[in-house]
Amino acid sequence: MFSVYDIETLRGMFLYVEKNLQTGKITVFRIDRYKNELLDLINHLQEDETEYAVSYNGLSFDSQVIQFIIEKYKSWSKLTGLKIASIIYQFAQDRIDDAKYNIAAPYKLSKLWKKQIDLFKIHHFDNKNRRCSLKWLEYSMDFPNIEEMPIDHRRLNLTRKESDEVIFYCINDVLATEKLYYITRGQTTLEEYAGKDKIADRFDIIAAYNLPIAALNWSDVRIGDELNKLSYSKLTGLDYFEIDQLKEQRKTTAGFTYGECIPSYVSFKTKELQEFYNHVSQQRFLFKVDQEFKIKIGETEFAIKKGGIHSTEKKRMLVGGDGILIIDADVGSQYPNAIVKRALFPSHLGRKWLINYQKTISLRLEYKAMSQDETLPASDRKKYAGLAEFLKLALNGGGFGKTNDKYNWQYDPFVHFRCTIGNQFEMLMLIESLHLAGISVVSANTDGIVCKLPQEKESCYYQICKEWETIVGNSEIGKLEFTYYDKVIQTSVNDYLAIKSNGKIKKKGDFATSSELHKNKSRRIIPIALEAYFVNDIAVKDTICSHDNLFDFCIGLKASKEFHYEAVNPRNGDTQVYDRVIRYYMCPDGKKLLKVSNTAQQGSSKGREQCEAGYWQSSIVNKLEKTAASGYEIDFDYYIHKCNEIIEGIEKPITTKKSKKRKISPDQLSFF
């Protein structure tokens, strides 16, 4: 049984809100100058029969405050509700300050009143590259209300109306956490999460590997790392402390060259690539400097960087048919295969690390086969699919990825970059061989290439690919996986819409209509319209003007602590101030939206910038009553204009009627 909870800790009010996910009942307990429900809260916490308490960042904060209350409440029997709220508030502020300096929470997981599920940890939103607030997730999940807390937490004497506002705000966050919980369980239409039960998978991996219950709140990558460490410990007989001490024995990797990262079997046939190889090989690897080496092969320019090879094409369209084939070839399990075939291992961990890595590959393949075995019950197949996925993480993010994490027990950057740089020169060998056979490699990105070729060269293409697999040792788990495309539309190597020959669509970047929650899904209507245009030949205007989901027209922005947002009415100068997260759509009779430094002087242009350049105006919708686009005055011209900018760059020339720009008077401009 599961319940979702959230708390608010103001100087003048403590609030606890919980929703039982089995009964749907919402329970509210408050401690302030109007009500003191401390004992009712304690009784509820002690008697509630739900087994797991679900929160967002609860392990670090909410659960710590609750446990503090449970342990201290008996000494508060003679205090007023306002005084108790102030004591709780001070503990909460101390916990926030401690967290800034990575000071551990005072109460360990095993000491908390109930088992915890922290969605913040599970989704790895505590990682600096993924970090986001619950408020931002509310925007990403299309929550009707994403308004910030309306009351300053330092306030002591709240009015009854203000107290009610805090309660409403907290209930809204509980409902948002509930929605995130169901997304985490795979009960969603979002492509990245549908059918993937991160919580059930964690129960399975805990049972299979006898991991601690704390693993329920570990990120996928951390679980992968833990599986590596656990298996290495069993293989070597070393405990975790002894394994960590091995880092002191790591050989220095300072001063190695790119040539030392390139396998001995790499060679080239053309003078240009031989000279390029000799030049790059002699370069010292500089950890703190961006290094890039470019070479043009045929009509395509390729760049070698530390992490992977990529081509440098910009906006274009590739079209197959009429005897022309477009074939994508991706290297299967590129990093695990590179580690095994080149016998790479962190110097301080020895060859047993590699032996363990190979065992993980074999076990993953075994689990993967079992997940596809139709003779097994569906529940078992799902379990084995989850186990296979975690072992994939152990090989990639928790294994290969950690060799470049200086805080990790597997850290050895020489291993990491022998993989990435060696793989790039392997790909260059394949690109050169195809080019010499008259086959154009029109795109490359880390582990794959796209070729455009006459149909009569198809057998030659496959022969070259097979020979390359043999030369570089990719005849087994590193084999190339091929996909045929009818059309590829690109704005860059990482932004594309590819129409496969089987009718399926692959899209990324500018053309993605779905993304992970921590990313920004703003203006989703634009990739929707572009897909309809390029796939089904539907005019972007028709798609945009008939689309009836307001959320798909919305734009989300989040500011750092140094900034806030202001919406200025260009007709009278009236200004509305917003905090750190805003949601808006483009409106022909709206406001100018500005990002403003918190230190900017009123009336000064310094420290202020328009969120939407030019004449475009916006309407803020942090709180919605209805979501149908037909209920709002949307500036369709803005979205059509954005689509046409992309289309015009791909299809040159194109006859597109440009939107007529509305003029703004000098008086209106003076406001910003």
mmCIF file of all heavy atoms in Angstrom, residues 307-331:
data_model
loop_
_atom_site.group_PDB
_atom_site.id
_atom_site.type_symbol
_atom_site.label_atom_id
_atom_site.label_comp_id
_atom_site.label_asym_id
_atom_site.label_seq_id
_atom_site.Cartn_x
_atom_site.Cartn_y
_atom_site.Cartn_z
ATOM 1 N N GLY A 307 34.438 12.714 -27.004
ATOM 2 C CA GLY A 307 33.348 11.798 -26.707
ATOM 3 C C GLY A 307 32.872 10.960 -27.870
ATOM 4 O O GLY A 307 32.376 9.854 -27.658
ATOM 5 N N GLY A 308 32.982 11.476 -29.091
ATOM 6 C CA GLY A 308 32.470 10.713 -30.221
ATOM 7 C C GLY A 308 32.602 11.465 -31.527
ATOM 8 O O GLY A 308 32.752 12.685 -31.556
ATOM 9 N N ILE A 309 32.529 10.731 -32.620
ATOM 10 C CA ILE A 309 32.592 11.320 -33.950
ATOM 11 C C ILE A 309 31.218 11.868 -34.313
ATOM 12 O O ILE A 309 30.181 11.333 -33.904
ATOM 13 C CB ILE A 309 33.032 10.265 -34.994
ATOM 14 C CG1 ILE A 309 33.284 10.923 -36.351
ATOM 15 C CG2 ILE A 309 32.027 9.136 -35.100
ATOM 16 C CD1 ILE A 309 33.888 9.967 -37.373
ATOM 17 N N HIS A 310 31.183 12.967 -35.047
ATOM 18 C CA HIS A 310 29.914 13.452 -35.573
ATOM 19 C C HIS A 310 30.182 14.255 -36.833
ATOM 20 O O HIS A 310 31.236 14.863 -37.005
ATOM 21 C CB HIS A 310 29.150 14.297 -34.549
ATOM 22 C CG HIS A 310 29.840 15.586 -34.197
ATOM 23 N ND1 HIS A 310 29.640 16.748 -34.914
ATOM 24 C CD2 HIS A 310 30.724 15.888 -33.215
ATOM 25 C CE1 HIS A 310 30.371 17.709 -34.374
ATOM 26 N NE2 HIS A 310 31.045 17.225 -33.350
ATOM 27 N N SER A 311 29.202 14.247 -37.717
ATOM 28 C CA SER A 311 29.291 15.056 -38.926
ATOM 29 C C SER A 311 28.750 16.442 -38.620
ATOM 30 O O SER A 311 28.093 16.664 -37.607
ATOM 31 C CB SER A 311 28.510 14.391 -40.068
ATOM 32 O OG SER A 311 27.230 13.979 -39.618
ATOM 33 N N THR A 312 29.030 17.385 -39.493
ATOM 34 C CA THR A 312 28.718 18.785 -39.190
ATOM 35 C C THR A 312 27.657 19.361 -40.117
ATOM 36 O O THR A 312 27.594 20.560 -40.329
ATOM 37 C CB THR A 312 29.993 19.637 -39.282
ATOM 38 O OG1 THR A 312 30.529 19.533 -40.613
ATOM 39 C CG2 THR A 312 31.039 19.169 -38.290
ATOM 40 N N GLU A 313 26.802 18.493 -40.663
ATOM 41 C CA GLU A 313 25.772 18.989 -41.577
ATOM 42 C C GLU A 313 24.761 19.881 -40.854
ATOM 43 O O GLU A 313 24.569 19.785 -39.644
ATOM 44 C CB GLU A 313 25.025 17.818 -42.235
ATOM 45 C CG GLU A 313 24.147 17.003 -41.283
ATOM 46 C CD GLU A 313 24.881 15.858 -40.641
ATOM 47 O OE1 GLU A 313 26.103 15.807 -40.755
ATOM 48 O OE2 GLU A 313 24.220 15.021 -40.007
ATOM 49 N N LYS A 314 24.107 20.741 -41.636
ATOM 50 C CA LYS A 314 23.088 21.627 -41.082
ATOM 51 C C LYS A 314 21.738 21.261 -41.705
ATOM 52 O O LYS A 314 21.480 20.091 -41.948
ATOM 53 C CB LYS A 314 23.474 23.079 -41.331
ATOM 54 C CG LYS A 314 24.793 23.465 -40.642
ATOM 55 C CD LYS A 314 25.065 24.947 -40.737
ATOM 56 C CE LYS A 314 26.428 25.300 -40.139
ATOM 57 N NZ LYS A 314 26.515 25.014 -38.713
ATOM 58 N N LYS A 315 20.890 22.244 -41.969
ATOM 59 C CA LYS A 315 19.538 21.970 -42.442
ATOM 60 C C LYS A 315 19.555 21.348 -43.839
ATOM 61 O O LYS A 315 20.201 21.860 -44.750
ATOM 62 C CB LYS A 315 18.724 23.265 -42.462
ATOM 63 C CG LYS A 315 18.522 23.885 -41.090
ATOM 64 C CD LYS A 315 17.751 25.193 -41.181
ATOM 65 C CE LYS A 315 17.584 25.812 -39.795
ATOM 66 N NZ LYS A 315 16.850 27.097 -39.847
ATOM 67 N N ARG A 316 18.819 20.236 -43.984
ATOM 68 C CA ARG A 316 18.747 19.574 -45.291
ATOM 69 C C ARG A 316 17.697 18.480 -45.254
ATOM 70 O O ARG A 316 17.186 18.111 -44.187
ATOM 71 C CB ARG A 316 20.099 18.962 -45.656
ATOM 72 C CG ARG A 316 20.467 17.802 -44.747
ATOM 73 C CD ARG A 316 21.753 17.147 -45.181
ATOM 74 N NE ARG A 316 22.114 16.044 -44.296
ATOM 75 C CZ ARG A 316 23.244 15.363 -44.396
ATOM 76 N NH1 ARG A 316 24.133 15.687 -45.334
ATOM 77 N NH2 ARG A 316 23.500 14.365 -43.576
ATOM 78 N N MET A 317 17.407 17.920 -46.437
ATOM 79 C CA MET A 317 16.506 16.782 -46.554
ATOM 80 C C MET A 317 17.141 15.741 -47.468
ATOM 81 O O MET A 317 17.626 16.068 -48.550
ATOM 82 C CB MET A 317 15.148 17.207 -47.127
ATOM 83 C CG MET A 317 14.136 16.061 -47.166
ATOM 84 S SD MET A 317 12.613 16.450 -48.094
ATOM 85 C CE MET A 317 12.167 18.022 -47.390
ATOM 86 N N LEU A 318 17.150 14.495 -47.019
ATOM 87 C CA LEU A 318 17.626 13.371 -47.824
ATOM 88 C C LEU A 318 16.408 12.550 -48.239
ATOM 89 O O LEU A 318 15.589 12.176 -47.396
ATOM 90 C CB LEU A 318 18.582 12.494 -47.022
ATOM 91 C CG LEU A 318 19.804 13.191 -46.402
ATOM 92 C CD1 LEU A 318 20.550 12.224 -45.486
ATOM 93 C CD2 LEU A 318 20.723 13.723 -47.488
ATOM 94 N N VAL A 319 16.305 12.260 -49.537
ATOM 95 C CA VAL A 319 15.141 11.543 -50.041
ATOM 96 C C VAL A 319 15.592 10.300 -50.793
ATOM 97 O O VAL A 319 16.472 10.367 -51.660
ATOM 98 C CB VAL A 319 14.296 12.450 -50.969
ATOM 99 C CG1 VAL A 319 13.064 11.690 -51.475
ATOM 100 C CG2 VAL A 319 13.858 13.710 -50.226
ATOM 101 N N GLY A 320 15.000 9.170 -50.429
ATOM 102 C CA GLY A 320 15.286 7.924 -51.122
ATOM 103 C C GLY A 320 14.257 7.661 -52.213
ATOM 104 O O GLY A 320 13.394 8.490 -52.494
ATOM 105 N N GLY A 321 14.339 6.485 -52.825
ATOM 106 C CA GLY A 321 13.426 6.130 -53.910
ATOM 107 C C GLY A 321 14.060 6.347 -55.264
ATOM 108 O O GLY A 321 15.135 6.941 -55.386
ATOM 109 N N ASP A 322 13.392 5.865 -56.301
ATOM 110 C CA ASP A 322 13.910 5.977 -57.678
ATOM 111 C C ASP A 322 15.336 5.451 -57.776
ATOM 112 O O ASP A 322 16.224 6.067 -58.375
ATOM 113 C CB ASP A 322 13.864 7.428 -58.164
ATOM 114 C CG ASP A 322 12.438 7.946 -58.321
ATOM 115 O OD1 ASP A 322 11.552 7.129 -58.633
ATOM 116 O OD2 ASP A 322 12.227 9.152 -58.106
ATOM 117 N N GLY A 323 15.559 4.283 -57.151
ATOM 118 C CA GLY A 323 16.868 3.651 -57.233
ATOM 119 C C GLY A 323 17.885 4.157 -56.232
ATOM 120 O O GLY A 323 19.053 3.757 -56.281
ATOM 121 N N ILE A 324 17.480 5.044 -55.315
ATOM 122 C CA ILE A 324 18.388 5.581 -54.298
ATOM 123 C C ILE A 324 17.990 5.032 -52.924
ATOM 124 O O ILE A 324 16.809 5.079 -52.544
ATOM 125 C CB ILE A 324 18.351 7.125 -54.267
ATOM 126 C CG1 ILE A 324 18.802 7.694 -55.617
ATOM 127 C CG2 ILE A 324 19.220 7.662 -53.143
ATOM 128 C CD1 ILE A 324 20.231 7.357 -55.982
ATOM 129 N N LEU A 325 18.978 4.512 -52.200
ATOM 130 C CA LEU A 325 18.740 3.967 -50.865
ATOM 131 C C LEU A 325 19.375 4.863 -49.803
ATOM 132 O O LEU A 325 20.443 5.438 -50.016
ATOM 133 C CB LEU A 325 19.342 2.560 -50.738
ATOM 134 C CG LEU A 325 18.848 1.495 -51.720
ATOM 135 C CD1 LEU A 325 19.614 0.186 -51.491
ATOM 136 C CD2 LEU A 325 17.353 1.271 -51.582
ATOM 137 N N ILE A 326 18.690 4.990 -48.685
ATOM 138 C CA ILE A 326 19.254 5.653 -47.501
ATOM 139 C C ILE A 326 19.287 4.610 -46.399
ATOM 140 O O ILE A 326 18.240 4.115 -45.969
ATOM 141 C CB ILE A 326 18.407 6.868 -47.069
ATOM 142 C CG1 ILE A 326 18.294 7.884 -48.211
ATOM 143 C CG2 ILE A 326 19.011 7.523 -45.838
ATOM 144 C CD1 ILE A 326 17.328 9.012 -47.915
ATOM 145 N N ILE A 327 20.494 4.272 -45.954
ATOM 146 C CA ILE A 327 20.650 3.195 -44.969
ATOM 147 C C ILE A 327 21.403 3.708 -43.744
ATOM 148 O O ILE A 327 22.476 4.312 -43.867
ATOM 149 C CB ILE A 327 21.408 1.981 -45.563
ATOM 150 C CG1 ILE A 327 20.783 1.535 -46.890
ATOM 151 C CG2 ILE A 327 21.401 0.827 -44.567
ATOM 152 C CD1 ILE A 327 21.527 0.398 -47.564
ATOM 153 N N ASP A 328 20.827 3.469 -42.597
ATOM 154 C CA ASP A 328 21.464 3.802 -41.318
ATOM 155 C C ASP A 328 22.090 2.536 -40.743
ATOM 156 O O ASP A 328 21.450 1.478 -40.722
ATOM 157 C CB ASP A 328 20.419 4.361 -40.347
ATOM 158 C CG ASP A 328 20.995 4.634 -38.972
ATOM 159 O OD1 ASP A 328 21.790 5.577 -38.840
ATOM 160 O OD2 ASP A 328 20.654 3.894 -38.025
ATOM 161 N N ALA A 329 23.335 2.631 -40.290
ATOM 162 C CA ALA A 329 24.027 1.492 -39.679
ATOM 163 C C ALA A 329 24.524 1.903 -38.298
ATOM 164 O O ALA A 329 25.306 2.845 -38.176
ATOM 165 C CB ALA A 329 25.198 1.044 -40.556
ATOM 166 N N ASP A 330 24.047 1.207 -37.274
ATOM 167 C CA ASP A 330 24.447 1.491 -35.890
ATOM 168 C C ASP A 330 25.226 0.324 -35.318
ATOM 169 O O ASP A 330 24.869 -0.845 -35.542
ATOM 170 C CB ASP A 330 23.222 1.753 -35.007
ATOM 171 C CG ASP A 330 22.565 3.085 -35.324
ATOM 172 O OD1 ASP A 330 23.296 4.033 -35.646
ATOM 173 O OD2 ASP A 330 21.328 3.165 -35.251
ATOM 174 N N VAL A 331 26.277 0.641 -34.553
ATOM 175 C CA VAL A 331 27.077 -0.395 -33.901
ATOM 176 C C VAL A 331 26.342 -0.875 -32.652
ATOM 177 O O VAL A 331 26.018 -0.080 -31.766
ATOM 178 C CB VAL A 331 28.468 0.139 -33.517
ATOM 179 C CG1 VAL A 331 29.276 -0.954 -32.824
ATOM 180 C CG2 VAL A 331 29.198 0.657 -34.746
#
